[in-house]
Amino acid sequence: MKIGLIGLGKMGANMAQRLLKGGHQVIGYDRDKAAVKKVADQGNEGADSIDELVDRLPSPKAVWIMVPAGKPVDDTIDLLMKKLKTGDILIDGGNSYYRDSIRRAEKLKQAGIGMVDAGVSGGIWGLKEGYSIMVGGEPRFVNLLKPIFETLAPGKELGWGHVGPSGAGHFVKMVHNGIEYGLMEAYAEGFELMKKKTDFSIDLHQVAEIWRYGSVVRSWLLDLTASALNDDRDLKSVAPYVSDSGEGRWTTLEAIELGVSLPIIGQSLYERFASQDREQYGKKLLAMMRHEFGGHAVVEEK
C-alpha cells in the first residue's frame, strides 16, 4: 500500500521506516527539506510540496499527517481539501484534541473525504517495538487502512484497535496520556523518597533494576528510568522543569465536565505546573503568612 505522510519529525520518520520494512511505500513531505531527503535516502519517496505528494498517490488516496495539534492541523487539512477527492482518506496521527477531530471529520465528510483519528503511542522506540494505535472513525475507512495499522503496531492483532467513531481514537489517547502523567509522578515521588533516606545510601539504579523483574510495578517507564539512572545517577544534568503537552489538561477538564474524580491525574498535572513556576510566588506568600501570624523565620532568597 502507498500512503502519503506529512510531518517527518523523529516519530514520523520512524513510522515511514517501519512502513517501508513492512512492505509499504511512503511518500513523505516536510517543510524541513533535510528531513525529506533523509526519508528518501532510506528507501521511501520524498515530495517537494503537499500538492506533489497528493498527485503521486494512487486513488483512493490516503494521507497521514503528523503535525502539532491545533492550527497546524487545520491549516494542513485546508490545503489537502483542495486536492483530495471523494473517497480519499485523511489520517490525523498527532495528539489532537478529540473535539477538534469530531469537527474536522464532519467538515471532511461534507466534502466526501473520510477521516480517521489515530492516537499513536510509542515515541522514539516505536520503530523497533511497534506503535500502540487507538483508532477512531467510520469502519469502512478503518478497514481500508488496516494493513497500515497492522504494520505499525507490535503485531497484526496486538497493540492497535478501532475504538469507536470519529474522535474516539484521540479521546482514548488523551486518557492514555493522563494515566501516563500519574504513573510518571508516582515513580518520581517514590524515587525521591528513597533518595532523601540518606542513612540507607540506597542505590536508586540498583532498585530500578530489581523492580524491573518480577515486581508488581515493573513497566516500560521503569525500564527507561533504570537506563537514565545508569547514565546519570544524581541527574545533575537535568533541570527540575517538567513540560506538559496539553493532553493532561484536556483529560482533567473532561473529568470536571463529566463529574469524574481523577485525583492522581489531576495532581500530577498540578505538580508539572509547579515545576514550571520559576517565581513560586505562592510559596513565598505562604512563608510570609507564617512569619506574620507566628513570627516564623523567613529564608531570604540569595
Side-chain angles (χ1 to χ4, degrees):
M1 186 174 183
K2 181 173 280 192
I3 186 169
L5 179 58
I6 298 175
L8 301 175
K10 186 68 173 179
M11 192 166 181
N14 284 350
M15 288 171 63
Q17 195 173 346
R18 187 171 176 89
L19 286 169
L20 180 64
K21 289 181 178 180
H24 303 284
Q25 188 69 43
V26 171
I27 303 176
Y29 169 75
D30 195 284
R31 290 183 297 179
D32 182 355
K33 301 301 181 185
V36 176
K37 183 179 184 303
K38 183 177 180 180
V39 167
D41 289 344
Q42 291 171 342
N44 277 302
E45 301 177 31
D48 292 329
S49 67
I50 290 178
D51 284 356
E52 181 190 341
L53 179 147
V54 175
D55 287 340
R56 287 165 55 185
L57 287 172
S59 294
K61 303 176 187 294
V63 181
W64 189 308
I65 63 174
M66 292 291 289
V67 299
K71 190 174 183 298
V73 176
D74 285 313
D75 290 346
T76 303
I77 289 176
D78 287 342
L79 290 173
L80 286 168
M81 286 186 72
K82 297 175 183 177
K83 297 289 294 182
L84 296 178
K85 307 294 183 185
T86 299
D88 292 339
I89 309 172
L90 184 146
I91 309 101
D92 180 4
N95 283 332
S96 290
Y97 186 33
Y98 81 95
R99 296 192 182 191
D100 288 338
S101 298
I102 295 173
R103 168 179 58 79
R104 291 162 183 154
E106 184 58 35
K107 176 181 177 180
L108 287 162
K109 184 177 182 179
Q110 292 175 6
I113 303 167
M115 177 176 161
V116 169
D117 51 289
V120 182
S121 179
I124 60 175
W125 294 88
L127 174 59
K128 178 183 177 183
E129 304 290 341
Y131 297 91
S132 174
I133 309 173
M134 299 135 266
V135 184
E138 293 185 34
R140 57 184 174 131
F141 298 126
V142 175
N143 288 335
L144 285 172
L145 297 167
K146 189 176 179 181
I148 296 296
F149 298 134
E150 289 178 339
T151 300
L152 289 172
K156 284 190 174 184
E157 306 296 332
L158 297 173
W160 83 276
H162 183 200
V163 298
S166 295
H170 281 151
F171 178 82
V172 174
K173 178 57 164 51
M174 176 189 78
V175 176
H176 165 282
N177 281 26
I179 293 171
E180 180 183 291
Y181 276 43
L183 290 172
M184 293 172 68
E185 179 64 26
Y187 278 127
E189 291 179 8
F191 276 86
E192 181 167 18
L193 180 60
M194 288 187 288
K195 184 174 179 57
K196 292 292 175 65
K197 189 65 173 174
T198 55
D199 51 326
F200 283 165
S201 300
I202 296 171
D203 184 333
L204 298 183
H205 174 254
Q206 179 194 30
V207 172
E209 290 291 351
I210 292 170
W211 287 356
R212 287 180 63 206
Y213 303 96
S215 165
V216 172
V217 299
R218 65 187 184 274
S219 72
W220 184 53
L221 279 173
L222 186 59
D223 294 343
L224 298 177
T225 300
S227 177
L229 289 173
N230 186 51
D231 295 337
D232 183 2
R233 302 204 178 195
D234 290 325
L235 302 181
K236 292 180 179 179
S237 62
V238 182
Y241 181 99
V242 189
S243 300
D244 66 287
S245 62
E247 295 208 327
R249 301 187 188 205
W250 297 337
T251 305
T252 305
L253 289 171
E254 192 72 21
I256 293 170
E257 186 167 312
L258 295 176
V260 177
S261 175
L262 300 184
I264 304 302
I265 293 174
Q267 189 58 41
S268 66
L269 174 65
Y270 302 147
E271 289 296 325
R272 293 195 180 197
F273 291 163
S275 79
Q276 298 165 20
D277 184 3
R278 297 300 194 190
E279 186 177 351
Q280 294 279 302
Y281 181 80
K283 298 294 193 302
K284 293 179 180 181
L285 193 59
L286 282 171
M288 185 54 64
M289 283 188 281
R290 289 184 76 246
H291 173 71
E292 290 297 319
F293 73 69
H296 300 288
V298 174
V299 178
E300 294 185 6
E301 192 166 28
K302 297 179 181 179

